[in-house]
Amino acid sequence: MQVAIIGAGPRGLAVAERLINLANDDTQIDVQIYDPHAIGGRVWDPFLSQNRSFLMNTVIDQITLFNDESIENGGKPLPGPNMFQWLESEAKDFLSHHQEFDASYTNELSRLTQVGDFATRGMMGIYAAWFFEWLMRRVRHNQTLNFTQQSVMNVQKLGEKFQLMLNDGTQLLADHVVMALGHSDDNLTDEEQGFKTFAQNKGLHYLSPMHPAEADLSVFNENDKIIIRGLGLSFFDYMTALSVGKGGRFIRNENDNLIYKPSGHEPLVVAGSRRGFPLHARGVNEKSASELYEPKFFTIAALEALRAAGNGHIQYQDFENLVVKEMTYKYLLNRINQPDSSLTYDQSEALKQALLTSIDLKTTAEEYGLADVFEFDIALIRNPARDLPNDADYTTWMQSYLSADIHDARLGNKSAPFAGAFDILRDIRDRVRYIVERDYFTADDYEKFLEHFKPFDALVSVGPPLERIEQLLALMKAGLFKITAANIHVTTDATGFEASDSRGQLFHGNALVEARLGATNISLSRNPLIANLRDNGMFVQPRKIRSDGTSYQLGAANINKQTFEVINRDGETINHLYLYGITLEGLKWFGTVIPRPGVNTLVLREGAWIAQRILAYA
């Protein structure tokens, strides 16, 4: 049996591992992995120079590539080291025998000594390379496992098999094809193409949406003024490259605050977004590798009760209210436990019990004497500048906002009032997936979910390491970075790019950088494989019908949610053609995760299910 896996990232490796290790001794299986990047895939490619400085946003002991007993219906696990354990036990020897990796990775080992440290993205790619070598040693006499560093340009059905075309023109056959494609580059929008053409005609610089590690930033220096659109994770990559990457350095003063020492070669940067605020810092990690918050209100029973009350559906506002109640509870619990709490021990314990059965958590807290506590106001969290006077100095306010975020995050992802409440969204994602994958929302309410909950979740729960927010604040104080108010709008004038915001501020620049990846939407993708499958009708976008009869399309390709097999434009399931991961974003919820040990992690769980379905045909 021939199995082709397209994508050598964690998802592709997860399927390969289960195929090799779960196959019976008498099963003949040939597993071929294809990816134009190194083992580990595009995001973690250790040979991209900027991946030697760009950080992951997951701590090292919450990263694994190995199955464990927690994986639901995953088959017999073969345990192995999580990333922290690997760094302690295997990494040094592996790097010494693989001189193809830059020496900076060996140097990096000396700073990765605590479970809560953040590794570079390239180090994740090296962990994946070691894992692949481990898996190669597991291959038995009637199995083969190979990696080919090429793109797959097209997949076509050929009788009972599939024909794959590689970028060098080679054509291969497979019985089963698993596509774990990751993020895709998109065709430029009309606006983006206009900016690109303008920059070319004027001798200026324009960087379209892309992986920041692949961007050429060597062209920028102290003579440039750069406008950046986007304040998500990509922004922090560009921030690093345009500061430390230009020779500057951060140092800590006597108060443990970061100060930036410029090299003199840094450009000036103005950055903004529609929302107008950088992602919140990740709280300093206090959780063990497999520790998850256990909700008190956002439970399966509560969700099923909402569904029963809604005749089979959950209204979005009821869903959001339940999430906010859970976060408010965690926020208040952490406020009670702060050293500056005014409550006695007995008062604290009584309030904790009362909160568990409270209808209105804030009122209950006040009744029990918890005074002077900020309300957990989700509208204010979404727009922290909501009540800011028009005549306030926005830069000064933004620096105070970042300082408060830093102070809170330092208290930890279990203990901090806000960072602790935000972090539980990471732990309840499987319950959100439970709702999405069972279609508990109507089309109308799912649209609200995507419009309101998705950006809120990103703002508070997927942010960068705390150090990155500290660095942003230091760069602002050094006068090198400025953050605009919400609703940044970029146009052009006779000399360059011009940005405005909701407070009427104007900024000019000779360069524009789009600090974001392409949208997850197969209709926009310029990945040749996705484009070919889309154009020949094998990939089709699911359509949602609103209550008024109108409709909208999801960006994902359609699949059978139980088997992960592709459903074509005729509504037919294409047996043995599997798709999982980021290309399903929208049809499924939050696939941009790294595998975590001991928590029935999504990537390994779904990879195991696909592998076992393939092996059932052996």
Side-chain angles (χ1 to χ4, degrees):
M1 180 168 61
Q2 297 166 311
V3 181
I5 298 174
I6 305 173
R11 284 188 173 82
L13 294 176
V15 175
E17 185 275 330
R18 291 287 78 188
L19 288 172
I20 294 298
N21 286 321
L22 294 183
N24 295 326
D25 287 340
D26 58 354
T27 298
Q28 188 280 325
I29 187 168
D30 173 25
V31 180
Q32 303 286 334
I33 303 176
Y34 302 95
D35 197 305
H37 293 268
I39 285 288
R42 184 180 189 181
V43 173
W44 317 114
D45 191 336
F47 299 104
L48 292 174
S49 62
Q50 296 194 108
N51 275 345
R52 302 198 294 263
S53 60
F54 291 173
L55 297 179
M56 304 181 72
N57 69 327
T58 304
V59 296
I60 52 180
D61 83 328
Q62 292 182 10
I63 299 167
T64 190
L65 292 171
F66 287 90
N67 270 256
D68 54 48
E69 296 288 352
S70 73
I71 303 300
E72 177 186 333
N73 300 319
K76 181 181 178 181
L78 270 85
N82 65 34
M83 192 175 187
F84 173 68
Q85 294 164 339
W86 170 77
L87 286 161
E88 283 194 316
S89 61
E90 302 281 353
K92 185 176 181 180
D93 184 64
F94 182 74
L95 284 167
S96 71
H97 288 89
H98 287 271
Q99 298 298 312
E100 67 270 24
F101 298 121
D102 191 84
S104 64
Y105 293 116
T106 300
N107 297 334
E108 184 182 350
L109 297 179
S110 63
R111 75 164 183 84
L112 297 175
T113 59
Q114 305 297 317
V115 294
D117 289 336
F118 293 88
T120 62
R121 294 192 197 143
M123 188 64 82
M124 177 62 195
I126 295 171
Y127 176 44
W130 172 87
F131 176 85
F132 184 71
E133 286 197 6
W134 170 85
L135 186 57
M136 289 289 290
R137 294 193 294 271
R138 296 284 308 166
V139 172
R140 284 160 275 171
H141 71 278
N142 56 348
Q143 300 174 339
T144 57
L145 172 64
N146 290 297
F147 169 60
T148 300
Q149 196 167 353
Q150 283 202 56
S151 298
V152 176
M153 308 298 284
N154 199 10
V155 174
Q156 293 179 301
K157 196 85 168 69
L158 200 64
E160 294 300 311
K161 292 181 178 289
F162 296 94
Q163 180 176 273
L164 284 70
M165 176 177 288
L166 306 187
N167 61 281
D168 69 354
T170 301
Q171 296 184 352
L172 304 161
L173 293 177
D175 299 295
H176 299 263
V177 177
V178 181
M179 295 176 287
L181 306 180
H183 281 287
S184 171
D185 294 326
D186 290 344
N187 292 309
L188 299 184
T189 65
D190 289 344
E191 181 191 48
E192 291 163 355
Q193 185 58 56
F195 285 144
K196 180 180 178 180
T197 301
F198 173 80
Q200 290 172 338
N201 292 340
K202 294 287 187 177
L204 306 175
H205 298 293
Y206 175 71
L207 294 185
S208 60
M210 69 176 72
H211 284 263
E214 298 171 3
D216 179 10
L217 303 177
S218 64
V219 296
F220 297 121
N221 57 39
E222 64 273 19
N223 298 315
D224 293 302
K225 294 182 179 178
I226 303 173
I227 296 170
I228 295 182
R229 286 205 299 188
L231 291 171
L233 291 177
S234 291
F235 163 74
F236 290 99
D237 291 340
Y238 284 114
M239 181 192 79
T240 300
L242 294 171
S243 55
V244 175
K246 295 299 180 183
R249 58 192 178 94
F250 293 95
I251 62 171
R252 291 198 179 272
N253 64 14
E254 64 278 6
N255 297 318
D256 200 33
N257 295 319
L258 281 185
I259 295 175
Y260 185 69
K261 297 292 186 180
S263 67
H265 300 300
E266 297 89 347
L268 297 178
V269 175
V270 172
S273 67
R274 284 191 298 270
R275 185 170 50 221
F277 307 98
L279 303 181
H280 280 281
R282 294 283 303 278
V284 172
N285 185 59
E286 300 176 286
K287 297 180 179 180
S288 63
S290 56
E291 182 180 355
L292 295 177
Y293 172 82
E294 186 61 35
K296 302 298 187 294
F297 303 100
F298 192 77
T299 63
I300 295 297
L303 293 167
E304 290 295 350
L306 287 176
R307 178 174 174 254
N311 296 316
H313 288 105
I314 296 176
Q315 292 186 4
Y316 171 73
Q317 195 57 56
D318 290 338
F319 162 84
E320 182 178 290
N321 290 344
L322 199 59
V323 171
V324 172
K325 185 172 185 179
E326 190 68 58
M327 296 178 75
T328 302
Y329 169 76
K330 178 61 173 168
Y331 166 75
L332 290 171
L333 200 67
N334 288 358
R335 283 296 305 132
I336 294 168
N337 292 331
Q338 289 302 307
D340 62 353
S341 173
S342 60
L343 302 183
T344 66
Y345 174 81
D346 288 344
Q347 288 175 319
S348 296
E349 294 304 302
L351 175 53
K352 289 176 185 178
Q353 289 301 311
L355 289 174
L356 291 173
T357 55
S358 171
I359 302 299
D360 185 329
L361 296 175
K362 185 174 185 293
T363 298
T364 299
E366 291 172 345
E367 289 173 350
Y368 276 75
L370 190 64
D372 301 323
V373 173
F374 290 111
E375 181 180 0
F376 192 85
D377 184 344
I378 189 171
L380 187 60
I381 292 169
R382 283 176 166 139
N383 179 18
R386 181 189 65 188
D387 303 324
L388 188 67
N390 290 333
D391 60 352
D393 182 276
Y394 194 77
T395 295
T396 300
W397 176 84
M398 177 58 72
Q399 291 181 14
S400 297
Y401 170 76
L402 294 176
S403 295
D405 191 47
I406 290 166
H407 173 76
D408 181 75
R410 284 176 174 172
L411 299 176
N413 65 349
K414 287 171 64 175
S415 304
F418 286 104
F422 296 159
D423 200 75
I424 70 174
L425 288 182
R426 299 178 64 240
D427 294 347
I428 65 172
R429 280 178 186 150
D430 263 354
R431 298 193 185 194
V432 180
R433 294 181 183 114
Y434 178 92
I435 299 168
V436 171
E437 292 178 14
R438 288 163 177 77
D439 293 320
Y440 280 9
F441 290 124
T442 64
D444 300 72
D445 282 301
Y446 190 56
E447 192 171 28
K448 294 175 184 175
F449 171 85
L450 295 175
E451 181 181 353
H452 298 292
F453 184 72
K454 185 176 179 180
F456 172 73
D457 178 72
L459 173 66
V460 304
S461 77
V462 301
L466 169 59
E467 178 185 12
R468 291 298 193 229
I469 301 297
E470 293 181 290
Q471 290 173 346
L472 173 58
L473 179 59
L475 287 165
M476 290 186 70
K477 289 182 175 180
L480 293 171
F481 271 63
K482 184 182 289 286
I483 304 298
T484 77
N487 297 318
I488 187 173
H489 177 65
V490 180
T491 57
T492 61
D493 59 22
T495 59
F497 298 99
E498 181 178 84
S500 61
D501 64 17
S502 60
R503 296 178 71 85
Q505 300 181 101
L506 290 177
F507 308 93
H508 290 83
N510 67 316
L512 175 60
V513 173
E514 309 281 17
R516 63 184 184 277
L517 303 179
T520 307
N521 189 323
I522 64 170
S523 68
L524 303 176
S525 176
R526 57 186 175 90
N527 178 314
L529 176 60
I530 293 176
N532 283 323
L533 293 176
R534 176 190 67 212
D535 294 345
N536 67 25
M538 294 171 77
F539 273 5
V540 62
Q541 294 169 257
R543 183 171 292 278
K544 296 276 189 179
I545 309 297
R546 301 184 187 94
S547 58
D548 64 2
T550 60
S551 66
Y552 62 94
Q553 282 186 323
L554 302 177
N558 202 13
I559 61 161
N560 181 314
K561 292 181 183 179
Q562 280 68 51
T563 69
F564 293 88
E565 290 169 308
V566 171
I567 297 176
N568 67 17
R569 65 182 166 205
D570 297 322
E572 301 168 339
T573 297
I574 306 177
N575 295 324
H576 315 315
L577 181 64
Y578 304 90
L579 176 68
Y580 90 124
I582 293 168
T583 319
L584 300 180
E585 199 65 34
L587 185 66
K588 288 179 169 283
W589 167 248
F590 210 101
T592 52
V593 293
I594 199 75
R596 181 176 176 183
V599 298
N600 190 28
T601 190
L602 177 73
V603 171
L604 302 183
R605 181 174 77 229
E606 293 183 342
W609 294 347
I610 292 171
Q612 289 182 94
R613 184 169 181 84
I614 292 171
L615 291 172
Y617 292 97

